[in-house]
Amino acid sequence: MIDDAAVGSVIDPEQPEATYVLEPDVVAPLVARVVTSHEAGTHRSICPFTGAPLATFSLSSPADVAGAVERARAAQRSWAHVPVRERAGVLGRFGRIVLDRQSEVLDLIQMEVGKSRRSAFEEVADAAQLARHFAVRGPRYLAPRRLAGMLPLLTGVRVHRRPVGVVGVIAPWNYPLTLALSETLPALLAGDAVVLKPDPQTTLTALWVAEVLEDAGLPAGLFQVVAGGGDVGAELIEHVDHVAFTGSTATGRKVAARAGERLVGATLELGGKNPLYVAADADVRTAVPSVIRACFASSGQMCLSAERLVLHEDVADEFLARFVPAVRALRLGAGLDYSADMGSLVSADQLAKVEAHVDDALALGARVLAGGVHRSDIGPYFYAPTILDDVPSAALCTREETFGPVVSVTRVASDDEAVRVMNQTEYGLHASVYSTDVARARRIAARVEAGSVAINDGYALLWGSVSAPLGGWKSSGLGRRHGAASIEALTEAQTIVVDRGARIGVTLDALYGLDEGRPSELLTSALHLMRRLRLR
């Protein structure tokens, strides 16, 4: 039984009769950028706010995908020889254009995904920051590195980063701008070309990216968009030199397997069941708004969302006394403005999954503290932000990724128990720890089996730290994105060794040409000397 008070408040759109349609003069130039021969059929996307049609565009065929990669490969050969500072200049201009034209892409993101404008703006900010970072720091990431050689002074070693060629990016619908760019920007900086396959629902945002990259000065052929579902993504993997995939663990395993068979690299960010621990000494008052954002930003449809709330029993009651009413007070709405705190789920399928997880938990004895209802009075796929207590371990929402505005509560008696609970999952993408004792929080974080841990924050500071590597452990993925890790993933390492002694006749071959026994004696003495001097 769900108490009516648990539902929460609502903001209706200022114009309830709004249809949220895109004008033809906006859609036509975008869909014209799809790589297609018009032989693979069409797709019609919908607006989650209303369930009404949004845009129709042609799909790409297998031949279209192969053709796109072939053109990208031809363009990449010249691009790889463009000075890195010029390539960085394209990224810098791209970031400025995104900020200047943000209202366009905010509308697209909202109408394709259904998220609130607050959550959509996070993508704009991320795009601008990512572009700035690689424009400024990228050339240093790509600079040759000098390393110690076999013989000090006589051996010169440099490691160069060479572009892999064509990178295939397969991006999901939940963050259509951010996840289209996370590998695209470092790949372009590194001298690669990119072919992007977005989710069909968010193809318009991907095409907008193509338009803006062209306006920023990116030469033709280096960034192309192919449209379609899993078959198009599978075909893309057959032709590219590296695949970057963000999506479910089940599909990620297939992507990794095929990439492995082809002996090409793969960067995979996959599923998660992210825990958030509020320790006994946490500042509950300041933690609550941060935890709300961690759980319900983008309607919970975020890879880094907190879905498991782990509360120390000393502060559990105090925390919930503040957290529950604050969640109930979240404003739901479909407006293309900043009036709503949370938007819609993206589709009927996503709504069905959320409802199934909540219904399953309730059938097994869980209690609803907030939400738990489909808000069809706002739009077809709205679901109230939901807090579940007393959820048994057998429930779907404790084992599987919900990817919606649902968080379960678990109480623990100690930090040790919290760590055990946090690690009781096949996933290891992200976690959060809230404590006023940062040293204590660091010790807890070090024991959590996750690729990243945020202290006193949900996800924003982590994602925004674009110089730091980001990725998952266990079933949450392979490889890392952001910073130098992206450049390393999207390039090949080439080591060049020089025998400097050749100019003066002192070479390794010359040493081996000495009388019998002398080379080993000399090298043995040299190795002992290097050991004593602690030379690398």
Side-chain angles (χ1 to χ4, degrees), residues 451-534:
S452 58
V453 182
I455 294 174
N456 295 323
D457 184 63
Y459 66 90
L461 295 180
L462 168 75
W463 190 269
S465 300
V466 292
S467 62
L470 178 66
W473 291 7
K474 300 191 288 188
S475 295
S476 289
L478 293 172
R480 295 294 183 268
R481 58 168 45 123
H482 285 175
S486 283
I487 297 297
E488 291 173 1
L490 301 170
T491 56
E492 296 281 10
Q494 183 185 52
T495 300
I496 297 179
V497 180
V498 176
D499 189 342
R500 297 191 184 114
R503 290 179 294 183
I504 57 175
V506 183
T507 67
L508 188 61
D509 288 334
L511 291 175
Y512 273 101
L514 295 175
D515 294 338
E516 184 177 351
R518 292 292 303 281
S520 61
E521 292 174 7
L522 285 173
L523 290 174
T524 297
S525 298
L527 291 170
H528 277 306
L529 178 62
M530 292 169 66
R531 177 181 56 82
R532 286 194 295 270
L533 296 177
R534 301 182 65 84

Side-chain angles (χ1 to χ4, degrees), residues 214-227:
E214 179 181 295
D215 291 346
L218 186 71
L222 287 170
F223 180 81
Q224 299 175 66
V225 178
V226 292

Side-chain angles (χ1 to χ4, degrees), residues 94 289 423:
F94 174 82
N423 290 339

